[in-house]
Amino acid sequence: MAGPKDVSAREAEVLAALAGDRSNAQIARRLHISIRTVESHISSLLRKYGVADRHELAALADVADSQPPGFSTPAEPGTTFVGREQDRAELTRALGSNRLVSLLGPGGVGKTRLALRVAADIADNYPYGGAVVDLVPVRPGFVVAAVAEALQATEQPPQTLADAVLERLKRGRTLLVLDNCEHLLDEAAGLVARILTEATETAVLVTSRERLGVAGERPVQLGPLTLGTEAEQLFRDRAALVAPELADDSELAQKVCAELDGVPLAIELAAARAGSLGPDGLLAALDDRLRLLSGGRGPNERHNSLAQVIGWSYDLLGDDERRLFRRLGVFVGGFDLAAVAGVSPGCTRGELSDLLGRLTDKSLLHRSQHAATSRWRMLETVRVFALEELKDEYDEVAALHVAWADQVATELEERLEAGEEWQQEFDLLAPDLRVASGGVRSVARKLAHLTFARRRFLEAREHYLVAAANAAEAAERYDDLRDAADAALVVADGGHAYQLMMRSAADGTADASGYAVTILNRYEMTRPADLPEDRGASLLPGDPGDSVLVRVAWAWADRFGVASAEDAVAAARRANRPLDLMSALDAYGTAVAAVGRMREADAASKERMSLAATLPAHDPRAAAEIVDAFHVASTTAIAVGDIVEAVRLAQLIDDPVHGHPYITAPRKVRAYALAGMFEDAVQAADVMWNGWRAAGCPPRVWMASAAATAALAHGLLRSGQEAVWQARALEIARVTDAADDPGLAAPAAFVEARLTLHRHDTRRTGAIEPIAPPGVDGLVGGEVGVVERAFAGFSEPWWVSYAHAVGAELAVVLGHADAAQYLERAVSENAWAEAVLRRARGRLTGDREALLEAAGMFRRIGARFEERCTLDLAR
């Protein structure tokens, strides 16, 4: 988030606290300052940021943590910016009145330099920052990925990456610069068209040799530098770097620039040779070259003149310089000395270093420094020329490039496994690894692994699929598709994971069939009613043989069969297969929970968490199990009423998908609501809801219980939003009645009963206005219906004890004739429910000591709101 530099530390805290649209009173409590002080700081922030109201400030605060300040740009060139004052002014005016401006011109005319300068000039006009995206190293199909990476737009599957980019750009005034679009016109045009339509406050500056052809495009043509002023200034400036005595040679500058038509790159290339050729030699070489290439110009005259200058520079190289220059054209993302050695067998590092220096001196390469390593890169126009000259050598050099890429990917994997720093170098090498992986399985697999470890889960899945397409046999294809499936499971895309395993199962691989059946039953892709009647058992061999995966699959197909799950656990232990053991333990926990043995289910989930701590989170198969282990551990902690543990798990940051808005937020909502941390719960619920909506509302039924507990938090906060969140729970579950969804029925009944009990208690003490006067028969009758719904038959076990316990307490408060029976029916292996039942029995008998005992039980499990309510009753 770009912002003013004079914001004080306290104002920055107030701005951060505005995220989530907190009230002034909430901010004051959070920062321990007065409401009047908050109001003063907000007035100051409105003025400094130049926004209209506090809602715009809150939006700025929402992106402050997830977006870097200002623009994300490439490194600034190491030379000065010369001239272009009129062009700068024209481009600035165009961006002031148009949302899409295309800076057009031939290669080497200086489009990138001008775009960067203007973007820096007008950055303050875009409080939501933006990015300059260099598309030179981007191959077809990866434009959106490059833009997403520059904007740090996070993948939120099944939302597309383009949707994630649009969500980032919709937040406010943003400037996006797409540099060098000419080789990706259709793809760039499609993305820009969506941006103009959907992100209405985003401006796009494009540099290209051709127009995008998008409606509303404002072209700005960039020609050569003006002869007589700017062009000569550029030549003298660059020539002075290699031959200071030429800095004041205006006649030479005029002649050279006139011969080169004022094209900036041509001038820079010529100036680089001025020191070695001298004035006479430089002019003679130009004359020879122009005579050689005279006649036969194509329609793009400026492009031809630039190609001529590059060709002239190439002809002036020695044989060894030319040979290396040609070979360097295979690198799309830059290279270091080791990379150059990889495509130059027979040359020593010393020889290569000398040649790189000579090519850099002649402006055919540009050098930059990354940590302690020098890296070089060709301008794209120069690289294209080098590739054209490579011709018959191309296959040989391309094969060397692939071998180099395979080797560096192996080294990066080794550093990853060893816990050493590898990320920064991977980011530099990724463009070349992507190119090299196109038809080579080994490179594609390593690239997929490294990409996954960088938390780019969707891209990793696609690289695994490339590997699968190049697999030589079924076993290799299974490995690739299995990893792709697990990459999908990490971001809760069970449907795609199942399809991938069914593709592998078509090869006759038993493990693939087993894993497909496990996914079918274990991960929510469809409603249980839509599952095959045999839950996929027909896909499995009758005799599992040595396949632990098949035994685990049988346990999942026999969903609540304790014996089948115990057999799978034993098989996984015998085979010493930690990943399969984690899946088998999950099946076992599900089975014993179904018969009310919650403590055994919790113990199984704790064993899974201990196994997860030993697994490499950078591996897709391990990561899928780790993510699920976190989810289930939170579920079972709540199921046994261990709210302290549920809160702890919600706050851990070592989950591979930590921070994902609708995968990790639900467990925060549930834990915080039960702990009485209501403001934290509703904030987490907003993150969950907004993330889910931004992702296109994918079918994520397991989120519905979190929306229900958000309704509980709102109701106990008396915010008036509980009905909104009850409706949202139904929307997430895609039902019109909570009873129709197995995962929502019990938590919804619990929330309804707890809010009814709260209304009854507060009405009785006069704390809030009653819904209706006490004693109205219709109200009592309705409340009795709430009790009955709390004891309905529930097929999912996790929230049953909550619904039963609160339903029984409500029956006691209402004086229900069967209250004692309800209390007996509500007994469970849940500490929260046990405390509720102890409180209910105290209310039934008027036993104050029982109430105090219940309050202590609530305190021990971390349910502070329930503790306070119980103490109020005891008083």
Side-chain angles (χ1 to χ4, degrees):
M1 178 180 67
K5 298 179 180 178
D6 59 341
V7 172
S8 69
R10 177 60 80 183
E11 286 172 340
E13 290 178 344
V14 171
L15 178 62
L18 274 167
D21 285 327
R22 292 186 179 89
S23 68
N24 287 355
Q26 289 173 318
I27 295 172
R29 288 197 302 271
R30 185 183 185 92
L31 300 181
H32 304 290
I33 57 179
S34 69
I35 294 176
R36 179 168 297 180
T37 301
V38 173
E39 292 171 346
S40 174
H41 286 316
I42 289 176
S43 296
S44 177
L45 288 165
L46 290 171
R47 183 179 69 257
K48 291 180 179 180
Y49 278 92
V51 295
D53 54 39
R54 65 185 291 123
H55 296 296
E56 288 192 53
L57 279 178
L60 288 174
D62 283 336
V63 301
D65 290 338
S66 61
Q67 299 298 332
F71 287 86
S72 171
T73 65
E76 283 291 327
T79 52
T80 58
F81 185 87
V82 175
R84 296 291 193 190
E85 293 303 321
Q86 185 175 345
D87 295 316
R88 284 171 69 181
E90 181 183 1
L91 188 56
T92 300
R93 284 195 300 272
L95 284 165
S97 57
N98 299 272
R99 291 183 51 227
L100 171 59
V101 176
S102 291
L103 184 59
L104 306 175
V109 81
K111 300 185 295 294
T112 296
R113 293 291 295 267
L114 179 59
L116 286 173
R117 174 51 60 97
V118 171
D121 290 344
I122 62 176
D124 289 343
N125 297 337
Y126 297 90
Y128 284 76
V132 178
V133 186
D134 182 9
L135 296 179
V136 166
V138 177
R139 61 176 175 166
F142 285 86
V143 169
V144 173
V147 175
E149 184 172 355
L151 291 170
Q152 297 185 14
T154 307
E155 296 175 351
Q156 309 292 351
Q159 176 193 39
T160 67
L161 204 52
D163 290 337
V165 168
L166 267 295
E167 285 300 318
R168 162 65 179 89
L169 295 177
K170 287 177 184 177
R171 292 172 175 170
R173 286 181 58 79
T174 306
L175 176 63
L176 180 64
V177 181
L178 299 180
D179 190 27
N180 298 297
C181 290
E182 51 270 0
H183 63 303
L184 300 163
L185 284 176
D186 291 342
E187 196 173 346
L191 175 61
V192 169
R194 283 197 65 187
I195 291 172
L196 295 181
T197 302
E198 299 179 39
T200 55
E201 292 189 79
T202 293
V204 183
L205 172 58
V206 166
T207 75
S208 178
R209 299 178 194 179
E210 298 178 42
R211 296 181 59 170
L212 291 184
V214 174
E217 182 178 18
R218 162 75 157 87
V220 173
Q221 193 73 40
L222 187 64
L225 291 169
T226 305
L227 295 177
T229 53
E230 296 178 337
E232 286 81 349
Q233 181 186 350
L234 176 63
F235 176 82
R236 292 195 302 269
D237 182 85
R238 301 301 189 258
L241 298 175
V242 295
E245 68 277 7
L246 300 180
D248 297 324
D249 193 339
S250 299
E251 183 179 356
L252 175 65
Q254 183 179 358
K255 290 181 179 179
V256 170
C257 292
E259 292 286 351
L260 298 179
D261 296 326
V263 177
L265 178 57
I267 293 170
E268 295 204 26
L269 290 169
R273 297 293 290 156
S276 57
L277 295 177
D280 294 338
L282 183 59
L283 291 173
L286 280 171
D287 287 339
D288 289 341
R289 188 59 178 162
L290 291 175
R291 269 199 308 273
L292 179 63
L293 298 177
S294 61
R297 287 192 169 216
N300 193 333
E301 184 174 332
R302 296 298 181 187
H303 178 272
N304 286 333
S305 68
L306 178 59
Q308 290 166 4
V309 173
I310 298 173
W312 163 74
S313 295
Y314 176 73
D315 286 345
L316 292 177
L317 297 177
D319 290 342
D320 53 351
E321 291 173 331
R322 288 186 198 176
R323 180 176 183 274
L324 181 61
F325 173 78
R326 293 193 300 267
R327 288 173 173 254
L328 296 180
V330 297
F331 293 103
V332 297
F335 42 86
D336 60 12
L337 182 57
V340 176
V343 298
S344 307
C347 294
T348 68
R349 291 173 65 90
E351 291 170 339
L352 293 174
S353 180
D354 176 60
L355 290 170
L356 288 170
R358 283 191 258 162
L359 292 173
T360 302
D361 289 341
K362 296 166 186 175
S363 294
L364 290 170
L365 300 179
H366 291 264
R367 191 186 73 84
S368 59
Q369 193 74 20
H370 293 269
T373 302
S374 291
R375 288 184 62 83
W376 291 265
R377 186 171 184 173
M378 286 180 167
L379 293 175
E380 179 62 10
T381 310
V382 176
R383 191 181 78 84
V384 170
F385 181 91
L387 281 176
E388 290 175 350
E389 291 296 319
L390 193 57
K391 295 178 182 175
D392 296 339
E393 300 172 83
Y394 179 79
D395 289 344
E396 173 202 346
V397 178
L400 291 169
H401 181 253
V402 168
W404 163 80
D406 194 30
Q407 178 61 34
V408 297
T410 299
E411 293 170 359
L412 288 170
E413 279 193 310
E414 291 172 351
R415 285 158 58 178
L416 166 63
E417 298 282 356
E420 300 172 0
E421 202 287 326
W422 61 278
Q423 295 92 332
Q424 185 177 12
E425 185 170 352
F426 169 73
D427 292 343
L428 293 171
L429 297 173
D432 277 282
L433 294 179
R434 292 185 184 113
V435 169
S437 70
V440 182
R441 178 177 181 265
S442 63
V443 181
R445 273 193 65 79
K446 292 166 188 174
L447 174 60
H449 180 201
L450 293 165
T451 306
F452 185 90
R454 281 302 264 153
R455 296 167 57 87
R456 300 168 190 163
F457 303 126
L458 281 183
E459 183 186 342
R461 181 184 65 188
E462 296 309 307
H463 293 311
Y464 279 122
L465 293 180
V466 170
N470 290 282
E473 55 187 32
E476 289 183 346
R477 193 157 42 251
Y478 166 75
D479 282 338
D480 299 332
L481 292 174
R482 168 69 190 271
D483 288 332
D486 283 315
L489 289 176
V490 165
V491 288
D493 192 356
H496 194 196
Y498 174 70
Q499 293 167 9
L500 293 174
M501 281 296 90
M502 289 301 292
R503 277 176 54 185
S504 181
D507 287 334
T509 307
D511 279 357
S513 300
Y515 200 46
V517 172
T518 294
I519 293 170
L520 181 68
N521 290 279
R522 187 180 180 190
Y523 299 99
E524 293 189 31
M525 302 169 299
T526 68
R527 303 202 164 281
D530 298 327
L531 290 171
E533 186 174 349
D534 67 349
R535 306 187 74 92
S538 60
L539 299 172
L540 301 174
D543 180 7
D546 295 331
S547 175
V548 178
L549 269 176
V550 172
R551 289 184 184 274
V552 174
W554 275 113
W556 279 107
D558 185 15
R559 184 171 175 81
F560 298 124
V562 176
S564 298
E566 288 175 336
D567 176 67
V569 169
R573 291 194 197 280
R574 286 194 302 269
N576 192 25
R577 300 275 293 271
L579 292 178
D580 295 340
L581 177 57
M582 289 183 73
S583 180
L585 285 168
D586 195 16
Y588 173 78
T590 301
V592 294
V595 293
R597 291 153 55 180
M598 292 297 176
R599 295 191 180 107
E600 291 182 48
D602 187 50
S605 74
K606 284 182 167 59
E607 183 177 355
R608 293 183 72 214
M609 286 295 287
S610 66
L611 288 168
T614 69
L615 297 175
H618 57 75
D619 176 75
R621 302 186 194 190
E625 286 295 341
I626 295 169
V627 170
D628 188 72
F630 271 85
H631 171 73
V632 173
S634 176
T635 299
T636 58
I638 287 174
V640 296
D642 189 351
I643 310 306
V644 171
E645 176 65 5
V647 169
R648 186 189 74 84
L649 290 168
Q651 295 174 339
L652 287 180
I653 62 172
D654 49 355
D655 184 341
V657 291
H658 170 69
H660 191 291
Y662 64 81
I663 292 180
T664 58
R667 58 178 177 254
K668 294 182 180 180
V669 180
R670 301 181 190 107
Y672 293 161
L674 291 173
M677 302 162 60
F678 299 135
E679 290 195 0
D680 292 320
V682 300
Q683 289 172 23
D686 287 339
V687 170
M688 175 189 76
W689 176 258
N690 293 333
W692 181 70
R693 297 281 292 179
C697 306
R700 298 289 182 262
V701 181
W702 45 266
M703 288 171 47
S705 62
T709 50
L712 174 67
H714 276 288
L716 297 180
L717 278 174
R718 293 178 287 169
S719 69
Q721 295 294 304
E722 58 266 33
V724 171
W725 279 94
Q726 286 168 328
R728 287 178 174 180
L730 295 175
E731 182 178 346
I732 292 171
R734 302 189 178 185
V735 294
T736 56
D737 187 331
D740 294 336
D741 183 79
L744 179 59
F750 154 62
V751 169
E752 181 188 34
R754 187 63 189 88
L755 292 178
T756 302
L757 181 64
H758 184 64
R759 287 193 291 268
H760 180 90
D761 286 342
T762 52
R763 183 173 64 239
R764 191 167 59 82
T765 60
I768 62 173
E769 289 296 319
I771 293 176
V776 175
D777 290 341
L779 180 62
V780 173
E783 290 177 336
V784 169
V786 174
V787 174
E788 293 172 350
R789 285 190 289 278
F791 281 89
F794 301 116
S795 58
E796 287 286 345
W798 309 109
W799 288 87
V800 172
S801 55
Y802 288 91
H804 285 183
V806 178
E809 184 176 18
L810 182 59
V812 168
V813 171
L814 296 177
H816 197 293
D818 296 327
Q821 296 179 24
Y822 279 126
L823 288 172
E824 290 302 318
R825 288 177 59 188
V827 173
S828 68
E829 294 185 355
N830 181 302
W832 194 96
E834 289 174 357
V836 170
L837 295 178
R838 191 75 185 102
R839 180 172 67 192
R841 291 190 178 94
R843 300 177 81 161
L844 180 64
T845 61
D847 185 347
R848 182 173 182 275
E849 290 302 318
L851 294 177
L852 292 174
E853 183 181 342
M857 295 168 70
F858 282 124
R859 182 172 62 255
R860 287 191 292 275
I861 64 172
R864 293 309 177 96
F865 176 78
E866 298 297 341
E867 177 191 1
R868 291 194 299 272
C869 290
T870 310
L871 290 173
D872 287 343
L873 288 171
R875 296 188 188 101

